[in-house]
Amino acid sequence: MDLAENIAKVKANIEAAARAAGRDPSGITLVAATKTQTSGTIRAAIAAGITVCGENRVQELTAHLADGAYAGAALHFIGHLQTNKVKYVVGRVDLIHSVSSEKLLLAIDRQAEKAGVIQDILLEVNVAGEESKSGFPPEQVPEMAALAGNMTHINLRGLMCIPPAAQHIGDNFRYFEKMRQFCVDIRREIGDNKTDNPILSMGMSGDYPDAIRAGATHIRVGTALFGPRPPMTGHT
Ligand SMILES: *Cc1c(COP(=O)(O)O)cnc(C)c1O
């Protein structure tokens, strides 16, 4: 695996997809999905131009933070988060993408207050209504956005989704389009709504060009940067 070459390839693809959609490529942030990677690989990725790391598991996050692996990059949490682990994440990451329940929203607000921080978050939407996936059902998004918008220690920045794994180019475009519409619907609840543009976190190795075409501002890419991973074992 040549990390620098992979990064260059993904960046070129981002640029091409953005241009094809009439978008400015600088409006798209590449989040490197670093789950299962070593601290050494994370450091190498940052040295090669990665500016945002997205971590999935609290245990890996804590270990990599302890040895300073993310130095020089922003840090996002993109994985499933259990309410009893919010204290390891809140105030330690710049953005939590994967807020998927009301209970978690409340726990993050409470922990952020305790830590004396305002935590930036996204709401995760179960855009395809999949039984097996976490995230809010689409019809619940406006209500949850209003709730988050009223919390004192949460700053709602936008939405995130993980649609079904794409088999073909174009498969997930309709889901990404739906997400963009949800972002318009909750515009009033986003950050300081006069200046902050909503963050739309969507698109992974298999479908990020479609996500960019539909308006993604953040894509989360693992395999296309780091190569195939060993199979996942559990959630955290
Ligand atoms: C692993 C992961 C990604 C990246 O997936 P790839 O298909 O390897 O690009 C993106 N988002 C989340 C939430 C992930 O867990």
Side-chain angles (χ1 to χ4, degrees):
M1 172 198 73
D2 186 330
L3 197 43
E5 198 174 291
N6 291 350
I7 293 170
K9 239 184 257 170
V10 171
K11 283 186 173 174
N13 290 341
I14 291 171
E15 173 125 4
R19 300 244 180 259
R23 299 184 56 197
D24 180 349
S26 70
I28 296 139
T29 301
L30 171 60
V31 179
T34 49
K35 61 175 172 268
T36 77
Q37 305 304 328
T38 63
S39 288
T41 301
I42 293 169
R43 278 197 198 89
I46 294 167
I50 288 299
T51 58
V52 186
C53 295
E55 201 54 81
N56 270 78
R57 305 189 210 190
V58 170
Q59 215 171 357
E60 289 180 45
L61 177 89
T62 303
H64 293 319
L65 274 174
D67 54 33
Y70 306 115
L75 179 57
H76 292 183
F77 192 81
I78 64 174
H80 182 76
L81 182 56
Q82 290 166 292
T83 49
N84 63 349
K85 296 209 169 136
V86 295
K87 61 178 176 290
Y88 303 113
V89 177
V90 168
R92 296 185 180 178
V93 303
D94 300 289
L95 179 66
I96 303 174
H97 290 227
S98 40
V99 180
S100 56
S101 72
E102 185 172 345
K103 192 172 149 213
L104 184 57
L105 205 49
L106 293 164
I108 292 171
D109 188 49
R110 214 175 305 126
Q111 178 62 32
E113 179 168 20
K114 209 188 269 179
V117 298
I118 308 281
Q119 180 67 57
D120 279 7
I121 66 144
L122 308 178
L123 297 179
E124 179 175 349
V125 183
N126 187 354
V127 66
E130 292 171 277
E131 206 61 65
S132 62
K133 291 253 175 89
S134 40
F136 294 103
E139 63 276 10
Q140 226 184 315
V141 170
E143 181 195 342
M144 287 303 123
L147 182 69
N150 282 327
M151 287 181 169
T152 52
H153 290 78
I154 276 180
N155 187 20
L156 177 64
R157 300 293 308 280
L159 302 176
M160 176 267 214
C161 74
I162 311 174
Q167 303 301 323
H168 306 283
I169 293 167
D171 277 359
N172 283 338
F173 184 69
R174 67 197 167 109
Y175 294 128
F176 295 144
E177 280 259 291
K178 255 193 185 175
M179 289 292 293
R180 178 173 56 183
Q181 189 53 51
F182 295 145
C183 251
V184 173
D185 297 345
I186 64 160
R187 189 71 193 80
R188 269 184 313 133
E189 322 292 350
I190 302 294
D192 148 21
N193 58 33
K194 289 186 266 321
T195 53
D196 289 358
N197 285 318
I199 290 177
L200 197 39
S201 167
M202 57 189 193
M204 312 191 353
S205 293
D207 57 14
Y208 67 88
D210 281 336
I212 291 170
R213 185 154 67 97
T217 66
H218 289 58
I219 60 171
R220 310 174 311 266
V221 179
T223 312
L225 297 173
F226 301 110
R229 287 178 297 270
M232 291 275 276
T233 52
H235 257 328
T236 51

